[in-house]
Every structure is written in structure tokens, then in C-alpha cells.
């Protein structure tokens, strides 16, 4: 259920405010606690926006956000189904407060000034039942683990831009320009608890845990700063040809510390501390050429270089116990660089009734940041996700169309084709995984995606839409070779529209297909 209201409040002030509440039971039944909402979603989201006309073409825009997600987390079952057996279901909670303030206006006849300030703060709790069961399920063995991660995250950013006005175009009035600076400060802390026991004393005299206890904590702190300068030039080379170029230079610095304590088996040598202070000079940019074939169609070519800063794996720091295959150096991972080359055509045809675009692309990923999973010990909570660096490339095609067949009927569709390959991978796969990762496709990279749909609307306000969606089979992870299988789903929507009101009924996945 939700509501929104907006419009002009005074001659110079307008705004919009909305609030939305979502409830869902999560589609799982917990037989241990005899409840059907242990995987529930209970989410409140509220937003507000204000726009002031300050005079002399200056304006200010304020955006505010508050979100309170009080969700359960009970999605894992030893039997891999929609029935769970956990006696300590987890939580997936988040409270986020955020806002941005934007000022813009002319500073001269040649340039406009833009200031954008942003803030976001989040308090997050993520927990789960480590062994996915209860005493009855695991009897006669004692098996009971819990895991929780409390996280606080705050970020503050500031950007200043100078943007050319029509009178401020340079190079004989043919070039628009942008010049700006950007800064961001991020602070994040994690507090991770893992505790539990395993007891196989029933197997006496062959038992080896009577019981084995676990109680560990990890506190980590992460701070990073980003300082960047950027610029852009968009130049009309001729009446039909336009050259666009942009460049961004950025300095990234980070500080990471963690303290790991084993409260049962940690003497001597506890607590264990890790400390990293990386810094990088990063740069990215793009250059593109647009050629206007006709008034309604254009060709373009693009080359770009993008980047992502590096980071850290706090959960890995917690799991690095005696005999672990990875060392502390795996806690940190390096920045990633993406080289992208693209060419395409966009346009309108058949007197504007048909719009279509086609693009071909090739991407080369250097120090590709990939996330995989690993299990280091028999402790179920030592299953962790690790981000590491790899190498890879991909290429493909993207296309879309919208065709107004008649006054009432409209056809639409999109197609994506993707070929991806892992060229290098830094981590060793688990011993029982037979497949070779190098040469394999990326995870979550289906070879094709397809949407084809038709919509109907008449002068009396009746509307209908039918969509067919298809996705090819893709790998789930880099640590194993399980695949999703291909899937096809159908969505339908019917409704009636009036001048001030509309009513719709819809069904997603009309034929109730199970997919993963």
C-alpha cells in the first residue's frame, strides 16, 4: 500500500512526498517453529522532494529518503526446498537515512554552476541459522550454530560543476564543455559474531567432538576517500557529425583494520589483527563519434575506459584460521579496469511508427572483481564469499524495437546476445570441482535474453499488455559449475483508464513456471 502527493505549494516552491509499505510472508514454511513468515518482508519507504525557484534563474532541489526494512531471513534448507527447519531464523534488517541538496544557476553569461551534496547513513543487521535445522532434525547429534553481522555505514559526497551555457560554447561556438571536482568520504564498521556447537558423543567410542564449541568475533573498520577532477567536451564537427570526449582523474585512499578473537581456542596468539592502507591513482574516460544519417537516424561509435576502486573481505578475515589455504593478503583486492568498445545505430522509421536500435560491443576486464564462495572448515559459518581479481572479456549484441502497428496495437521487444570468457583466475577451486574455470563463461551472464510483447489500447480507455520473456542458462557462481537452466515466463496486464483514474489487474509468471 502506498500514497503520494505533489504539486505547487507557493509561487516559488513545489514538492512531492510519498510513503510505501510492503508486506510479504516470504513463501517459506518453517516447520520447526510452525510459522509461515520466517522469511518475511516488512519494508517501509518514504521519500520527499522540494524544489525552490530562488530567482535570477537559480534553483535548489532537496531530496530526502527514509527506509526501514524489518525483514526475516530463513531461505536455506538442508533439503533445498521451500520448507525450512531452522530454530533460530535470521534477520535482514536495514534503516537508511539519506538526502541530497542541489544548487544550480548561472554565474555568468557563459557558464552555469552546479553543486550537489549527498549523504547516506545505514544501520544493517544480517543474521541466519548456521546449520539450517533444529535439535529434532539433527538428532541424535548436537548441531546448533548462529551467525550475525551488524554493520554501520555512512557516506558524504560533494560535487561542483561548471557547465557551459549556449553563449559559453568554445572553439567558434561549436563545443559544449563541463568541468568539475568531486569528493567522497565513506566510513563503515562491521561486528560479526559466529557461535555454536557440534556434539557427536552418541558415536562413543568413535566420537571426536564431545562437544566442539565455537565462539568467535570480528570487528572491522573501513574508511575511504575519493577525490576527483573531470571534464567533458562535446563538439559539432559538421552539421551531421559530433565528437564527444570525457576524462576523469581520481585519487582513492583507504584504511582497513580488523580484530579477530577466538573466545574458546584463541590462546595464545589472540586477538589477530590485520591492517591495510592502499591508495591508487585511477582514471577513466570515453570518446565517441556520432553521425546523423537522416533527421531520424544516427550511427555512433564509442571507446571508453571505466574503473572500480578496490576493497576488502571482512568475512574472509574471520575465517582465516589454522590451516586455511589463503593468507591474510587475500583480504584485500585490487581496483578493476574495464575497456569497452561499442558501435550501433538508433533511429525512427516508417514515418516514426517504428523505433529501433542495434549495438555491438566488446569488453575487456582487467583485474576483474569476481565474488566466489569457499568453505574452509567443518564449521558451517566458515562458508564465506570472497571477492578476488581475475581477467576476462565479453562481446555481444543488444537490440530493441517498438512498432506502432495501428492506432490500437503496439509491438515491442528486445534482444541481448552475450559471449563471455574467463581468461585468468587467482583462487584455487575446491578439490571436488572437476570443471576448469579458465575458458568458462562469467557467472550470471546468460547467453541470450529476449522480451517480446504486444499492447492494446482503445479510445474508450481499455488497455492490455502481454509479454513473453526468455533467459538462457547461466552459471550461478565461480566456485562451482551449477547452472540455472533456461526459462520462459509470460506476464499479462489488463486495465481501464479514465481522465483522473486508472485500474489494472496483472499476473506475473502466468503459467507458474519454477525457475532458479
Amino acid at each position: 500500500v502506498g500514497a503520494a502527493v505533489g504539486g505547487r505549494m507557493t509561487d516559488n516552491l513545489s514538492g512531492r512526498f510519498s510513503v510505501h509499505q510492503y508486506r510479504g510472508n516470504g513463501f517459506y514454511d518453517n516447520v520447526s517453529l510452525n510459522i509461515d513468515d520466517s522469511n518475511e518482508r516488512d519494508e517501509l519507504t518514504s521519500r520527499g522532494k522540494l524544489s525552490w525557484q530562488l530567482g535570477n534563474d537559480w534553483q535548489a532541489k532537496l531530496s530526502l529518503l527514509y527506509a526501514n526494512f524489518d525483514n526475516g531471513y530463513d531461505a536455506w534448507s538442508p533439503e533445498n526446498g521451500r520448507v525450512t527447519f531452522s530454530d533460530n531464523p535470521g534477520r535482514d534488517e536495514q534503516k537508511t537515512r539519506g538526502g541530497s541538496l542541489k544548487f544550480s544557476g548561472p554565474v555568468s553569461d557563459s557558464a552555469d554552476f552546479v553543486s550537489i551534496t549527498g549523504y547516506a547513513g545505514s544501520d544493517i543487521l544480517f543474521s541466519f541459522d548456521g546449520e539450517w535445522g533444529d535439535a529434532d532434525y539433527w538428532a541424535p547429534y548436537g548441531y546448533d550454530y548462529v551467525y550475525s553481522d551488524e554493520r554501520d555505514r555512512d557516506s558524504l559526497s560533494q560535487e561542483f560543476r561548471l557547465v557551459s551555457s549556449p553563449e559559453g560554447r568554445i572553439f567558434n561556438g561549436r563545443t559544449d564543455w563541463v568541468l568539475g571536482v568531486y569528493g567522497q568520504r565513506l566510513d563503515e564498521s562491521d561486528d560479526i559474531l559466529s557461535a555454536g556447537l557440534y556434539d557427536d558423543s552418541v558415536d562413543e567410542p568413535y566420537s571426536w567432538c564431545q562437544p566442539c564449541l565455537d565462539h568467535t568475533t570480528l570487528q572491522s573498520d573501513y574508511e575511504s576517500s575519493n577525490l576527483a577532477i573531470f571534464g567533458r567536451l562535446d563538439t559539432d564537427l559538421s552539421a551531421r557529425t559530433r565528437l564527444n570526449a570525457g576524462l576523469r582523474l581520481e585519487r582513492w585512499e583507504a584504511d582497513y583494520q580488523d580484530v579477530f578473537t577466538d573466545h574458546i581456542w584463541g590462546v595464545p596468539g589472540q586477538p589477530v589483527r590485520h591492517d591495510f592502507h592502499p591508495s591508487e591513482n585511477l582514471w577513466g574516460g570515453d570518446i565517441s563519434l556520432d553521425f546523423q544519417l537522416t533527421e531520424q537516424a544516427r550511427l555512433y561509435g564509442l571507446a571508453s575506459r571505466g574503473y572500480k576502486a578496490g576493497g576488502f573481505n571482512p568475512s574472509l578475515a574471520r575465517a582465516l584460521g589454522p590451516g586455511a589455504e589463503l593468507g591474510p593478503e587475500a583480504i584485500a583486492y585490487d581496483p578493476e579496469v574495464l575497456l569497452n568498445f561499442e558501435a550501433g545505430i538508433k533511429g525512427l522509421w516508417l514515418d516514426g511508427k517504428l523505433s529501433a536500435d542495434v549495438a555491438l560491443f566488446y569488453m575487456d576486464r582487467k583485474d576483474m572483481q569476481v565474488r566466489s564462495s569457499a568453505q574452509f572448515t567443518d564449521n558451517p559459518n566458515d562458508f564465506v564469499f570472497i571477492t578476488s581479481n581475475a581477467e576476462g572479456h565479453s562481446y555481444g549484441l543488444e537490440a530493441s524495437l517498438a512498432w506502432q502497428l495501428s492506432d490500437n496495437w503496439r509491438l515491442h521487444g528486445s534482444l541481448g546476445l552475450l559471449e563471455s570468457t574467463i581468461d585468468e583466475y587467482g583462487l584455487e577451486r575446491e578439490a571436488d570441482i572437476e570443471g576448469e574455470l579458465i575458458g568458462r563463461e562469467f557467472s550470471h551472464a546468460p547467453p541470450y535474453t529476449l522480451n517480446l510483447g504486444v499492447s492494446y489500447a482503445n479510445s474508450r480507455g481499455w488497455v492490455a499488455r502481454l509479454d513473453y520473456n526468455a533467459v538462457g542458462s547461466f552459471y550461478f557462481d565461480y566456485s562451482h559449475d551449477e547452472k540455472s537452466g533456461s526459462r520462459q515466463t509470460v506476464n499479462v496486464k489488463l486495465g481501464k483508464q479514465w481522465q483522473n483514474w486508472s485500474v489494472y489487474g496483472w499476473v506475473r509468471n502466468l503459467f507458474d513456471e519454477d525457475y532458479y
Side-chain angles (χ1 to χ4, degrees), residues 231-232 234 244-248 283-288 302-305:
R232 185 164 191 84
D234 296 332
N244 311 297
L247 180 66
R248 183 184 182 95
W283 70 274
D286 68 90
I287 184 168
S288 64
L302 166 71
S304 62
R305 185 185 196 271

Side-chain angles (χ1 to χ4, degrees), residues 132-396:
W132 314 352
D134 59 12
D136 291 337
Y137 189 88
W138 297 115
Y141 299 98
Y143 193 30
D144 190 19
Y145 283 83
V146 294
Y147 178 96
S148 71
D149 183 354
E150 297 184 62
R151 184 153 55 105
D152 295 322
R153 179 183 174 92
D154 292 280
S155 69
L156 178 66
S157 64
Q158 177 64 56
E159 181 174 312
F160 297 112
R161 297 181 192 170
L162 286 175
V163 183
S164 63
S165 64
E167 293 78 10
R169 304 184 87 201
I170 57 177
F171 302 139
N172 297 322
R174 295 183 301 158
T175 301
D176 297 303
W177 54 269
V178 176
L179 183 65
V181 296
Y182 172 85
Q184 183 190 45
R185 178 70 177 180
L186 172 65
D187 294 287
E188 183 176 310
S189 64
D190 272 275
D191 191 347
I192 300 175
L193 165 69
S194 170
L197 67 87
Y198 176 73
D199 186 353
D200 64 354
S201 55
V202 68
D203 290 337
E204 187 73 30
Y206 302 105
S207 63
W208 59 280
C209 277
Q210 301 183 5
C212 292
L213 301 176
D214 170 70
H215 182 192
T216 64
T217 56
L218 178 84
Q219 289 83 34
S220 65
D221 290 288
Y222 170 61
E223 299 176 355
S224 69
S225 61
N226 301 68
L227 295 174
I229 59 173
F230 58 90
R232 185 164 191 84
L233 298 174
D234 296 332
T235 302
D236 293 322
L237 299 180
S238 68
R240 289 190 171 190
T241 308
R242 186 172 179 86
L243 178 67
N244 311 297
L247 180 66
R248 183 184 182 95
L249 306 175
E250 185 161 340
R251 176 68 174 177
W252 172 71
E253 297 180 350
D255 293 297
Y256 171 89
Q257 302 90 29
D258 66 48
V259 179
F260 172 77
T261 305
D262 189 327
H263 296 274
I264 296 178
W265 308 103
V267 179
Q270 295 287 331
V272 177
R273 302 177 186 271
H274 302 105
D275 203 345
F276 297 90
H277 305 280
S279 60
E280 297 282 348
N281 294 319
L282 308 169
W283 70 274
D286 68 90
I287 184 168
S288 64
L289 188 67
D290 287 8
F291 179 74
Q292 201 74 31
L293 286 172
T294 67
E295 289 185 359
Q296 296 184 315
R298 69 181 180 93
L299 290 169
Y300 72 93
L302 166 71
S304 62
R305 185 185 196 271
Y307 59 83
K308 290 197 298 183
F312 306 92
N313 293 295
S315 60
L316 176 61
R318 185 192 58 78
L320 285 176
E325 298 178 3
L326 299 178
E329 68 278 357
I331 295 173
Y333 53 89
D334 296 329
E336 175 181 346
V337 173
L338 170 67
L339 299 177
N340 176 58
F341 304 93
E342 183 177 334
I345 182 171
K346 298 172 181 278
L348 299 173
W349 290 271
L350 303 179
D351 297 324
K353 294 181 179 179
L354 174 66
S355 66
D357 60 81
V358 179
L360 298 171
F361 63 88
Y362 176 87
M363 296 182 179
D364 186 24
R365 297 178 66 177
K366 303 293 187 183
D367 289 320
M368 179 173 69
Q369 296 175 5
V370 298
R371 193 181 77 153
S372 60
S373 57
Q375 180 80 43
F376 291 103
T377 71
D378 292 330
N379 182 334
N381 290 343
D382 282 347
F383 177 87
V384 297
F385 288 99
I386 306 169
T387 299
S388 61
N389 294 107
E391 305 285 336
H393 70 275
S394 62
Y395 57 90

